[in-house]
Amino acid sequence: MSAGWGVGRNNRAETARRALADQALSVLASAQDGAIGAGLPATFDSARARWGPLSPPVSAYVARVLLREPALDEPWPARLQQLLHWLAGVQRADGLIQDTTLASPSRRGGLVATGNALSAWCDWQREHDDSRIARAITRSATALADLLAHDPARACARHGVVVPDFLPAAEAARGLLLAGQALDRPAWWDIAARQIDSALATCDDTTKETVFELRTGRALDSALEAAMRCQTVDAVTRIARAFDKRLNHGGLTRRIPARDMDKTRRTLAAAALARSLQTAVKDGVLLDRRTARRVRGLKIQRIVSPGAIDHCLACDSLADLVAGCRPITRPQAR
């Protein structure tokens, strides 16, 4: 009797998670339909009851997360293709993705946007033969390799590129790593591996901050997957320990009022990272017993429920919600 009750409860929980993910996808579709163009905005303007301007960084991140989903229903494959082509359209002449679509004297390129777009393009190209995407991959990967090869901070400053202040270039390195695999460019692979080692070296310092920043969770997730691809044996252990310490100090497992949207977004990002760590353990990554036990026990309480999602959640947070609620299939490491 008790066993059957437990199975029923698990089934109900899984049904609720999928309903939550489906609802988040529905709002993302609404955002794409409500914007001018096929990209995604960063925010919803509640005063004007409309979505804000399109955001290349947010669009690239959402595409990267959703392309890891093993079974997205129609019409999402078509929507993702439109989104990926839109990202190719905001690629600068030097191959970088511009940080904004707003009119400005200089639309700077960004490592994060370019890295996430490159990752999404490579994931898409594994299943499709898209000539436009193939050209975009080559251009962006070439640009990132030039920027990350020697002194990334100095090279980026010289080219007017926005440098992130967290786990430097984690997303860019992941994108370059995938491109190196797809196009059989060992030199790109080596450059990306060095950047991932650098990101892991700063992992503990990054998570000592008072607040678990939204971007920190995303960058840790990128570093985790890229390090697994590089066969960095201790990657999961290092990230899991740093994440565990941050949870203990930051209290992210506590229920947070939905009206505090900033904390909500941070918690969603933490939930997505926790899911990625647990998936890594299930994939057989070697860990010491203590770390493996902690990773399996990571739980982020749900802070939203079916019917509670509205346009207040930003598009990238909605993607985090999908990542935290639906099973993500990770590619095997090389």
Side-chain angles (χ1 to χ4, degrees):
M1 177 72 72
S2 60
W5 180 81
V7 171
R9 182 177 60 180
N10 290 337
N11 288 340
R12 288 194 296 273
E14 180 63 25
T15 299
R17 284 195 295 270
R18 287 195 170 273
L20 194 58
D22 289 344
Q23 192 178 359
L25 287 170
S26 177
V27 179
L28 282 172
S30 172
Q32 191 177 31
D33 291 340
I36 301 176
L40 289 167
T43 57
F44 182 76
D45 187 340
S46 56
R48 299 182 179 181
R50 68 183 186 187
W51 291 96
L54 299 180
S55 169
V58 167
S59 297
Y61 177 74
V62 172
R64 177 175 83 79
V65 172
L66 295 189
L67 278 166
R68 295 161 65 198
E69 252 299 332
L72 280 178
D73 299 328
E74 294 293 343
W76 269 103
R79 286 186 176 278
L80 284 170
Q81 184 179 37
Q82 292 173 357
L83 183 59
L84 295 174
H85 279 211
W86 180 83
L87 285 167
V90 294
Q91 192 178 39
R92 302 194 316 177
D94 61 3
L96 298 176
I97 299 295
Q98 61 192 44
D99 262 6
T100 180
T101 59
L102 297 176
S104 63
S106 174
R107 293 179 179 175
R108 298 185 298 177
L111 288 180
V112 174
T114 305
N116 280 329
L118 187 53
S119 295
W121 287 331
C122 288
D123 287 340
W124 176 267
Q125 200 69 355
R126 275 202 301 268
E127 303 294 333
H128 307 82
D129 185 13
D130 190 318
S131 59
R132 185 178 184 186
I133 297 301
R135 291 193 297 271
I137 289 173
T138 301
R139 292 173 62 194
S140 281
T142 301
L144 289 181
D146 289 342
L147 288 173
L148 301 180
H150 301 294
D151 186 344
R154 181 173 297 179
C156 288
R158 187 168 62 250
H159 289 83
V161 176
V162 179
V163 181
D165 57 359
F166 57 95
L167 290 175
E171 286 89 343
R174 180 187 183 278
L176 186 59
L177 192 68
L178 289 177
Q181 285 181 316
L183 300 180
D184 193 22
R185 298 288 292 271
W188 291 353
W189 174 279
D190 292 339
I191 293 169
R194 289 200 300 271
Q195 289 301 315
I196 291 303
D197 283 342
S198 175
L200 288 172
T202 63
C203 182
D204 284 342
D205 290 338
T206 301
T207 51
K208 286 178 182 176
E209 299 298 325
T210 304
V211 177
F212 184 93
E213 295 291 344
L214 177 64
R215 283 185 165 183
T216 304
R218 294 171 181 164
L220 283 169
D221 187 44
S222 291
L224 172 66
E225 184 173 346
M228 289 168 62
R229 287 176 176 274
C230 291
Q231 296 184 341
T232 303
V233 177
D234 65 343
V236 179
T237 297
R238 294 170 73 177
I239 291 177
R241 286 176 176 169
F243 181 59
D244 183 56
K245 286 190 294 184
R246 183 63 261 147
L247 284 180
N248 288 336
H249 289 89
L252 288 178
T253 57
R254 292 198 295 268
R255 184 167 291 276
I256 299 172
R259 63 178 177 274
D260 190 337
M261 299 313 299
D262 186 49
K263 288 185 178 179
T264 297
R265 290 170 182 145
R266 287 202 300 271
T267 306
L268 290 175
L273 175 58
R275 185 61 173 267
S276 295
L277 285 165
Q278 290 167 341
T279 302
V281 173
K282 290 178 181 177
D283 286 347
V285 176
L286 295 177
L287 297 176
D288 60 82
R289 291 183 179 180
R290 181 169 177 267
T291 302
R293 186 169 58 251
R294 286 188 174 184
V295 169
R296 291 192 185 98
L298 282 173
K299 291 183 180 179
I300 309 294
Q301 287 188 347
R302 189 96 41 228
I303 55 175
V304 288
S305 60
I309 297 177
D310 57 28
H311 292 155
C312 290
L313 279 179
C315 288
D316 45 3
S317 296
L318 289 167
D320 286 326
L321 188 56
V322 174
C325 290
R326 293 180 63 142
I328 301 297
T329 301
R330 288 189 177 277
Q332 294 298 315
R334 179 172 167 176

